[in-house]
Amino acid sequence: MARISRYLLPALLLLCGAALAAQDEWKSLDDAKKLAADSDKPMFLVAVLDAPEMADPVFKKLRVKARNDEDFKVFVSAKINVYKADPSGAQWGGTTHGTDPVLVEKYGDMSTVSVYAPGANTPLWRLKAGAHKEDVFKQAREAYEKWRKDIDELEQQMKDDKELKKDPDALWKLGEAWAKGGSAKRALDYFDDALKIVRKADKADRRIEKWVLRCAEVALSCEEYADAAKRFTAFLKEFKASERRNEALLGKTEAQIGANDMKGALKTLEDIKADAPSEILDRAKKLHEKATKAAAE
């Protein structure tokens, strides 16, 4: 028995170490986002500053704290490194730990924590310097569960009453709840189902124009840029005389810029008339400058 233990012990220690490592795994943003969507779980994201010569000490403490925290277990965990080398530090013989302004604008500065709903590109909750907070996981879980509560109740109502699945207003309400959390796919699935029911019942229903545009706006706000551009295009084609045509043109332009289609964005802006309201023209001018600058880079 002693001989068996002698050989088994190292193997058991390796297995235990591997298990702990698996529990301690903080995935890349893309991998975590996919896992969260597939498993219908929220994602907890922390912005770290991992320089080549030094790992982020704050993240190290956060990772250790997460291992035994019950609130943390509801999340798929991810980290995003906002580090960017600053060459100016080299002239003094040292290294400057800079940050990438693009990443900071999107994910927050180092130690910022965010919670994303399943499949979302945009956060439903964010806390600056949250990685320093002792109760950060509790705060994150409470924020997520507060948002999720309404969705769970609405979905349960649909399970209890099958007729609600045929009610466009009920479907739309559930879609808006998902949109509030930034989950475009979930929201748009419900929106599209609601629109199909309304169109089938009455093609002249006034809700159709409003809802078609809303779908495009949600796709844009959730950073599903390619889908948003298609939806704005469909709206403009179907509702040529809409009073909100200029808004749709600007929305399509923003979506094209987000999808890195600067040529398309500049072409879309050409459809805005010179006699459009000043507010529309001001927004169009800013988008034109943004697209022109991006195209030149």
Side-chain angles (χ1 to χ4, degrees):
M1 186 72 179
R3 288 182 63 189
I4 294 174
S5 299
R6 178 185 173 188
Y7 290 106
L8 282 179
L9 185 58
L12 288 172
L13 289 174
L14 284 172
L15 285 173
C16 290
L20 287 172
Q23 293 174 11
D24 193 32
E25 183 181 2
W26 289 66
K27 301 181 181 301
S28 69
L29 179 59
D30 289 340
D31 288 345
K33 192 181 295 183
K34 184 179 185 307
L35 179 58
D38 292 343
S39 61
D40 192 32
K41 294 180 69 175
M43 180 178 72
F44 181 97
L45 177 72
V46 57
V48 302
L49 189 68
D50 279 339
E53 69 276 11
M54 183 183 71
D56 189 330
V58 177
F59 174 62
K60 183 178 180 180
K61 292 179 181 178
L62 183 73
R63 188 175 59 192
V64 171
K65 183 168 60 176
R67 289 174 187 162
N68 298 312
D69 194 296
E70 289 299 316
D71 291 311
F72 179 73
K73 293 179 181 179
V74 304
F75 296 102
V76 172
S77 57
K79 64 175 181 175
I80 183 77
N81 189 6
V82 297
Y83 168 80
K84 184 178 182 180
D86 185 353
S88 64
Q91 63 180 316
W92 305 108
T95 302
T96 299
H97 297 163
T99 53
D100 187 322
V102 175
L103 292 177
V104 168
E105 181 179 0
K106 186 168 177 59
Y107 302 109
D109 208 341
M110 57 180 179
S111 299
T112 294
V113 299
S114 308
V115 171
Y116 290 73
N121 292 324
T122 54
L124 64 85
W125 178 84
R126 176 164 285 172
L127 182 62
K128 186 176 181 181
H132 296 276
K133 308 294 182 182
E134 283 300 318
D135 63 342
V136 62
F137 300 130
K138 181 182 178 181
Q139 288 190 52
R141 181 172 183 172
E142 288 177 348
Y144 172 72
E145 291 181 344
K146 180 180 179 181
W147 165 79
R148 186 68 191 239
K149 181 174 180 291
D150 290 340
I151 288 176
D152 289 342
E153 289 178 356
L154 289 169
E155 290 185 338
Q156 186 60 51
Q157 289 172 17
M158 286 192 174
K159 288 181 180 179
D160 296 338
D161 184 356
K162 305 298 183 183
E163 291 301 310
L164 285 177
K165 292 184 178 180
K166 304 175 185 178
D167 182 346
D169 289 314
L171 289 168
W172 195 265
K173 185 177 181 181
L174 187 49
E176 286 289 5
W178 277 106
K180 187 176 180 181
S183 293
K185 186 179 186 306
R186 303 284 187 98
L188 292 168
D189 281 348
Y190 284 114
F191 286 166
D192 289 338
D193 286 346
L195 271 167
K196 287 178 184 177
I197 295 172
V198 171
R199 286 184 186 276
K200 186 175 181 180
D202 181 5
K203 293 182 179 179
D205 193 311
R206 290 189 174 185
R207 287 176 293 183
I208 296 174
E209 178 182 342
K210 178 182 177 181
W211 284 4
V212 170
L213 183 58
R214 176 62 181 154
C215 285
E217 291 172 340
V218 167
L220 176 61
S221 67
C222 294
E223 298 181 0
E224 295 291 346
Y225 297 120
D227 186 34
K230 290 179 182 178
R231 290 177 181 273
F232 280 118
T233 298
F235 174 86
L236 290 164
K237 184 177 180 180
E238 183 175 3
F239 303 102
K240 296 179 180 179
S242 174
E243 293 180 355
R244 302 186 66 185
R245 185 172 178 78
N246 284 326
E247 292 177 46
L249 286 168
L250 293 175
K252 180 180 177 180
T253 302
E254 287 187 58
Q256 289 171 313
I257 291 174
N260 203 31
D261 179 13
M262 305 308 160
K263 184 177 179 180
L266 293 170
K267 185 172 178 59
T268 298
L269 288 173
E270 293 175 2
D271 290 335
I272 294 181
K273 309 299 181 184
D275 60 352
S278 59
E279 179 186 348
I280 296 295
L281 294 176
D282 287 343
R283 288 173 59 192
K285 182 180 178 181
K286 291 178 181 178
L287 288 173
H288 190 280
E289 291 172 351
K290 185 175 181 179
T292 301
K293 180 180 179 181
E297 292 177 347

